[in-house]
Amino acid sequence: MAGEELLGALAPVLGAREAAPVTGPRSWWGGPLDVEGLALGAVQAAATALSCWREAIGLPGTVTVRSEAVAAAFDSYGLLRVDGAALTAFAPLSGFFRATDGWVRTHANYPHHAAALRSALGLTNPAGHARDAVAAAIGERSATEIEDAVVASGGVAAAVRTPAQWRASDPGRHANLAPWIGWSLTKGEPLPVTPGALPLAGVRVLDLTRVIAGPTATRVLGALGADVLRIDPPHRPEDHGTHLDTGWSKRSALADLRVPEQGAAVRALIDQADVVVMGYRGGALAPFGLAPEVLLERRPDLIIATLDAWGRTGPWAARRGFDSIVQAACGIAWQYRQPDDSPGALPVQALDHATGYGIVAAVLALLTRRAERGGGGHAHLSLARTAAELQPWAEPPSTTVIDPSSDLREVSTVHGLLRTARPPLDLDGAALEHCTPPQRYGTASLAFS
């Protein structure tokens, strides 16, 4: 199944370990690819790494995965309700558009990306250009021409390719050849850990991530008891709905790395952190002294996890990207094409979520190694490499209808009554729960608890 080899990605750090048990239906979404296998494999890798961590710190017990909880967690945004109302996932200028020779997918959920898209298309009046104007402009040019123009303007778009076209391309070859988790390890002395009420109690996590994949990872780390502080740039605020979906079990602060005093404050937090998770495009944080190799040279015991869209090597290493854009570029949108031959999409943002649980697994594996043998390290994942785990596998023969209601929670918050999915891990037979609801965005101080 898709995802069956993901556990092996932990072997360079943890060695051979017994996999955490998974129960429940094997398939439920249907479609041409084994999305369920990818989801189950990624969460199972996280659960197995959590079992190793608990053993290392003297907290014996069982960690199990229920497929019903995985189904709910991977559709967390779709199941999210705010005072009973669902949220819209994509802005009007995000989506598929027909070009002269195929299709293009755009991502314009953030205002600066929408502005870059309009600029690339020569549409200079934001108020006068709705989706039909963008469609008309894209319809006059080829798909790759639109892709190149939008990327050159600082926007996000991808021509819809077939799987064969992606595999034959330079960025596709680089993404597919990389391991699911790339490791860079340092040496040091074992670091004793005092167990707490939750597995990650006392672990400090600095969250420098955006959108879904990275924030999903840190949301789970927070539910496991870590002190998670997410920092966003004030000039690039997170989408409100995404904050409500991924802001659980963490605090939210703002800092502009371009301002020397604020950049220094963030670097001081890194000196206090056990874990740093970074989810910006390749090289974006290096000018601020936050390149993983620089941080590990100063702090060899630090644990760093990074993720991006396209991987660390190849011509697209520094390119912006999102789950939907990677699906378009690597052939998934073509595989999910509709009866009218227009492109389609996975039933959930599975590349984001599976990569997020890969980050959870990597962080827990590195924490276990540091406690048992010493040393820190850097783990890297990419959405495009996660897609490569999914694509070789066909749909399972049958599907089962899953009711996610038992894995949803309703919580009164400062944002209203939120219905959310819980983390898909059971500890000693009890469901893991979020520690705290999302706080008001950007209101926390630049300090760990």
Side-chain angles (χ1 to χ4, degrees), residues 298-380:
R298 188 169 78 241
R299 283 271 317 277
D301 64 334
L302 186 64
I303 290 166
I304 303 172
T306 60
L307 63 123
D308 51 44
W310 308 108
R312 301 187 73 191
T313 64
W316 287 14
R319 181 172 291 201
R320 298 172 177 87
F322 299 94
D323 183 309
S324 60
I325 297 298
V326 174
Q327 287 188 44
C330 75
I332 292 174
W334 182 87
Q335 291 172 287
Y336 275 78
R337 60 193 182 279
Q338 304 301 303
D340 64 357
D341 218 33
S342 61
L346 297 176
V348 294
Q349 300 278 301
L351 307 184
D352 267 328
H353 285 275
T355 303
Y357 285 94
I359 290 290
V360 174
V363 167
L364 289 165
L366 288 171
L367 283 170
T368 300
R369 176 180 178 270
R370 189 174 73 173
E372 294 179 338
R373 288 171 281 162
H378 172 210
H380 173 265

Side-chain angles (χ1 to χ4, degrees), residues 166 170-180 182 280-283 306-321 326 355 378 380-386:
W166 174 246
D170 283 344
R173 282 192 292 268
H174 279 272
N176 290 349
L177 289 175
W180 187 50
Y280 289 77
R281 62 190 175 94
T306 60
L307 63 123
D308 51 44
W310 308 108
R312 301 187 73 191
T313 64
W316 287 14
R319 181 172 291 201
R320 298 172 177 87
V326 174
T355 303
H378 172 210
H380 173 265
L381 291 89
S382 74
L383 302 182
R385 181 59 183 82
T386 297

Side-chain angles (χ1 to χ4, degrees), residues 14-94:
L14 293 177
R17 301 283 184 145
E18 182 178 356
V22 178
T23 64
R26 169 63 184 80
S27 179
W28 53 90
W29 284 310
L33 296 176
D34 185 12
V35 186
E36 297 93 335
L38 177 71
L40 291 170
V43 178
Q44 184 183 42
T48 302
L50 177 58
S51 293
C52 296
W53 168 248
R54 294 181 80 196
E55 180 181 348
I57 64 174
L59 286 178
T62 60
V63 183
T64 56
V65 177
R66 292 174 49 254
S67 61
E68 295 89 346
V70 173
F74 270 59
D75 193 22
S76 59
Y77 194 97
L79 295 171
L80 178 67
R81 297 293 183 271
V82 183
D83 292 328
L87 301 179
T88 301
F90 290 101
L93 299 188
S94 295

Side-chain angles (χ1 to χ4, degrees), residues 233-235 254-267 288 446:
H235 58 291
L254 300 177
D256 190 340
L257 296 176
R258 302 170 302 177
V259 177
E261 296 81 4
Q262 296 181 40
V266 172
R267 288 187 290 274
F288 306 104
L446 288 175

